[in-house]
């Protein structure tokens, strides 16, 4: 092969250029690989590995590290109801809001499905303020697939002392986050060594509850509901009771929420329904049973109820299911279809704790309820405060406008009973007429 000098230089240039391009490409893919290894694909945030590496490095330097560990409230529900596409969309919007709330943060990471972390380096009093601005970002509802979704965030805060390991700091922030969840959700809690004991206890409670359900140790009591006119018992509400071998009676709010978080609620709910139907079968009054969100969205719900009715011989037309408004409105169309299916069997549906959720009246109108039950909080202050009576009357008027009969719950005094009867309630429930009692 012969080449003129000019040509040789040209070919040489091409080779050099090609090689350089090759090296550049190699470098690029190396950075991309590094980038991918420490990033979460969906949100582009740093991942758990990157957070731990960075935390290790920071803890080796001077100054305090503050770690905020966060878990979304209500994300699992949304994912179940709207599907994973909507869930992904939601996580990306959460990421945008976190970035907006934390411009000065050292690192924002997604550490698990719906868990996030923010690392704040050095600042003395920054973490609480940062938590507040994150919470503020969650005040506005999220819009997914055209629906408004209310989402909260529970935040745990841990600050480093000398000698702390990254893993220990992460654990403490996680424990604090759990305390924020247990303390009502959508709030922030700072780590405190006393919380460790609480966390252990809750884990043990979950195991004990699982065992109690398996051994059929969850009991039920019945509270009478009377008609407002003659004040005779027309219905009873079944309420679950659990007596723990060491701790005694556990409040239903506590064990129901443990059951909901751990998925035990489906088995527990079925057991309560079966016991209630068995014990109340030969009475002449109606029977009301509470239903949790996780049970409501469970695909097997209708089937389970039919099975229980068949096995116990309890007539469907005497059964009422009490459900609360919050979760129905997240997806009114799907909720409506489930309610129709339940009502087709002859069961009636009662909207429980009315007035406490963020219900939009317009949506409620679209859902087929048979009755609403006004929350106790509206009845409680009737004796002291005339404004409270007005409010209670206004709530009953909403029920009338929806053409639904109204029950008042938590009636403790004759005056409360009178005000609610005059307001138009057709049924009353409360200690004035009877406490929850065994069959
Ligand atoms: P809820 O369905 O709104 O039940 C009414 C609650 O108010 C009951 O509390 C009842 O004992 C209480 N109550 C009734 N009358 C009065 C009164 O005059 N004054 C006062 N201060 N309280 C009154 P309980 O039994 O502690 O249940 C609390 C909540 O736990 C229930 O609220 C319900 O949401 C939930 N729950 C109880 N049993 C079950 C169950 O089997 N399944 C589900 N999913 N939830 C349940
Ligand atoms: Mg109820
Ligand atoms: Mg209620």
């Amino acid at each position: 092969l012969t080449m003129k000098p000019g040509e040789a230089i040209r070919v040489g240039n091409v080779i050099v250029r090609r090689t350089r391009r090759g090296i550049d490409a190699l470098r690029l893919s190396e950075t991309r690989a590094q980038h991918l290894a420490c990033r979460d694909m969906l949100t582009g945030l740093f991942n758990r590995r990157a957070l731990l590496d960075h935390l290790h490095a920071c803890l080796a330097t001077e100054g305090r590290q503050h770690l905020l560990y966060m878990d979304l409230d209500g994300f699992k529900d949304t994912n179940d109801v709207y599907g994973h596409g909507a869930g992904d969309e939601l996580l990306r919007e959460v990421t945008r809001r976190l970035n907006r709330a934390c411009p000065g943060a050292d690192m924002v990471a997604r550490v698990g499905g719906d868990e996030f972390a923010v690392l704040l380096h050095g600042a003395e009093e920054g973490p609480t303020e940062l938590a507040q601005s994150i919470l503020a970002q969650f005040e506005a509802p999220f819009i997914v697939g055209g629906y408004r979704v209310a989402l909260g965030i529970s935040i745990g805060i841990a600050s480093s002392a000398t000698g702390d390991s990254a893993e220990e700091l992460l654990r403490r922030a996680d424990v604090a986050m759990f305390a924020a969840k247990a303390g009502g959700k959508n709030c922030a809690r700072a780590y405190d060594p006393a919380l460790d004991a609480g966390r252990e206890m809750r884990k043990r409670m979950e195991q004990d509850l699982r065992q109690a359900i398996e051994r059929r140790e969850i009991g039920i009591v019945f509270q009478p509901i009377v008609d407002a006119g003659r004040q005779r018992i027309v219905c009873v509400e079944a309420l679950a009771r659990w007596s723990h071998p060491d701790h005694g009676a556990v409040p239903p709010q506590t064990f129901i929420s443990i059951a909901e978080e751990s998925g035990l609620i489906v088995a527990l709910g079925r057991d309560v329904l079966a016991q209630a139907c068995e014990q109340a079968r030969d009475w002449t009054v109606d029977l009301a049973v509470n239903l949790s969100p996780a049970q409501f969205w469970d695909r097997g719900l209708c089937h389970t109820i039919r099975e229980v009715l068949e096995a116990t011989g309890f007539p469907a037309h005497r059964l009422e299911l009490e459900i609360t408004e919050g979760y129905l409105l997240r997806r009114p169309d799907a909720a409506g279809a489930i309610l129709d299916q339940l009502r087709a069997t002859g069961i009636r549906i009662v909207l429980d704790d009315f007035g406490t959720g963020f219900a939009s009246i317009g949506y409620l109108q679209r859902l087929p309820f048979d009755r609403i039950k006004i929350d106790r909080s509206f009845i409680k202050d009737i004796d002291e405060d005339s404004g409270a009576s007005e409010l209670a009357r206004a709530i009953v008027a909403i029920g009338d406008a929806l053409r639904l009969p109204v029950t008042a719950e938590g009636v403790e005094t004759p005056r409360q009973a009178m005000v609610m009867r005059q307001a138009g309630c057709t049924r009353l429930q409360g200690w004035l007429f009877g406490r929850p009692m065994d069959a």
Side-chain angles (χ1 to χ4, degrees):
L1 181 77
T2 53
M3 229 185 263
K4 290 184 196 140
E7 256 174 335
I9 289 171
R10 256 201 325 274
V11 169
N13 277 346
V14 168
I15 289 171
V16 168
R17 240 183 287 138
R18 288 234 171 114
T19 320
R20 213 180 266 146
R21 223 181 280 151
I23 290 170
D24 283 350
L26 212 65
R27 268 204 207 113
L28 206 69
S29 68
E30 197 179 280
T31 16
R32 188 171 298 147
Q34 269 172 3
H35 180 84
L36 288 180
C38 62
R39 292 285 176 171
D40 164 53
M41 297 286 271
L42 179 70
T43 60
L45 292 174
F46 287 99
N47 58 22
R48 187 184 191 91
R49 181 76 261 143
L51 177 78
L52 274 170
D53 286 348
H54 190 59
L55 205 50
H56 271 297
C58 289
L59 286 168
T61 66
E62 291 283 296
R64 285 190 99 182
Q65 312 300 325
H66 306 283
L67 182 65
L68 278 68
Y69 201 96
M70 298 165 281
D71 186 283
L72 302 178
D73 307 323
F75 177 76
K76 205 186 152 299
D77 253 12
T78 312
N79 224 14
D80 291 349
V81 174
Y82 300 105
H84 293 277
D88 289 354
E89 200 185 314
L90 209 54
L91 290 171
R92 281 191 287 262
E93 175 58 20
V94 165
T95 302
R96 279 191 285 277
R97 294 191 189 190
L98 281 180
N99 280 328
R100 224 178 293 147
C102 315
D106 205 29
M107 181 180 264
V108 182
R110 178 177 176 221
V111 286
D114 63 344
E115 293 173 23
F116 295 83
V118 174
L119 185 63
L120 200 61
H121 184 56
E124 243 331 295
E125 40 175 78
T128 323
E129 287 77 4
L130 184 58
Q132 290 313 316
S133 55
I134 292 172
L135 286 166
Q137 283 291 333
F138 278 74
E139 278 167 16
F142 290 72
I143 312 286
V144 279
Y147 291 107
R148 289 156 69 89
V149 178
L151 207 65
I153 189 162
S154 296
I155 308 176
I157 305 170
S159 302
S160 69
T162 21
D164 284 342
S165 70
E167 286 76 11
E168 175 58 13
L169 197 61
L170 205 63
R171 189 193 70 80
R172 288 185 194 161
D174 185 42
V175 166
M177 186 276 288
F178 255 85
K181 282 241 185 251
K185 299 184 177 163
N186 204 28
C187 61
R189 264 306 276 274
Y191 172 77
D192 177 325
L195 294 179
D196 285 331
R199 173 82 186 264
E200 264 314 298
M201 174 137 165
R202 200 172 162 94
K203 254 197 236 154
R204 261 204 310 274
M205 288 282 261
E206 188 185 311
Q207 282 161 7
D208 295 346
L209 181 61
R210 186 181 305 273
Q211 209 171 59
I213 295 169
E214 278 163 10
R215 295 180 180 168
R216 304 204 66 186
E217 286 169 1
I218 304 293
I220 51 166
V221 287
F222 297 92
Q223 186 177 31
I225 300 175
V226 303
D227 76 281
R230 300 174 66 194
Q231 307 202 338
R232 294 231 199 136
I233 301 179
V234 287
C235 182
V236 289
E237 177 175 6
L239 296 158
R241 292 292 180 265
W242 179 31
S243 178
H244 189 279
D246 306 325
H247 311 295
V250 184
Q253 272 102 340
T254 307
F255 72 81
I256 295 286
S257 93
I258 295 175
E260 283 172 343
E261 272 161 37
S262 56
L264 291 169
I265 191 68
V266 174
L268 188 149
R270 186 198 164 100
D271 189 39
V272 166
L273 180 70
Q275 286 190 55
C277 287
E278 236 162 64
Q279 296 182 32
R281 184 186 47 227
D282 299 330
W283 303 347
T284 50
V285 297
D286 293 342
L287 169 68
V289 178
N290 294 285
L291 215 57
S292 284
Q295 287 172 274
F296 184 81
W297 295 114
D298 180 51
R299 284 179 192 284
L301 174 69
C302 238
H303 180 70
T304 299
I305 292 176
R306 257 191 243 120
E307 245 177 19
V308 169
L309 290 178
E310 221 161 274
T312 57
F314 194 92
H317 68 90
R318 273 176 53 211
L319 182 63
E320 295 179 355
L321 296 176
E322 297 194 359
I323 55 186
T324 50
E325 58 200 270
Y327 57 94
L328 298 178
L329 298 172
R330 298 218 181 114
R331 205 178 160 197
D333 299 338
I338 297 172
L339 292 180
D340 285 336
Q341 211 184 340
L342 288 171
R343 292 178 81 236
T345 64
I347 296 168
R348 271 159 295 141
I349 309 290
V350 177
L351 184 59
D352 200 358
D353 301 344
F354 180 67
T356 55
F358 343 86
S360 133
I361 309 279
Y363 273 132
L364 284 184
Q365 206 175 2
R366 295 195 353 217
L367 292 173
F369 298 112
D370 295 283
R371 167 177 286 281
I372 61 180
K373 201 190 242 191
I374 298 185
D375 190 64
R376 179 163 96 226
S377 55
F378 293 99
I379 286 98
K380 183 162 98 328
D381 299 325
I382 284 179
D383 291 341
E384 292 102 57
D385 170 1
S386 66
S389 308
E390 304 267 297
L391 191 57
R393 276 191 211 104
I395 301 268
V396 180
I398 292 173
D400 285 343
L402 293 170
R403 294 184 217 301
L404 293 173
V406 179
T407 303
E409 70 177 341
V411 177
E412 294 182 0
T413 68
R415 186 176 150 74
Q416 291 170 347
M418 189 193 68
V419 169
M420 295 319 287
R421 187 175 57 84
Q422 283 176 352
C425 287
T426 58
R427 284 182 175 186
L428 306 173
Q429 175 182 9
W431 294 351
L432 180 63
F433 310 103
R435 300 221 176 196
M437 56 188 96
D438 61 32

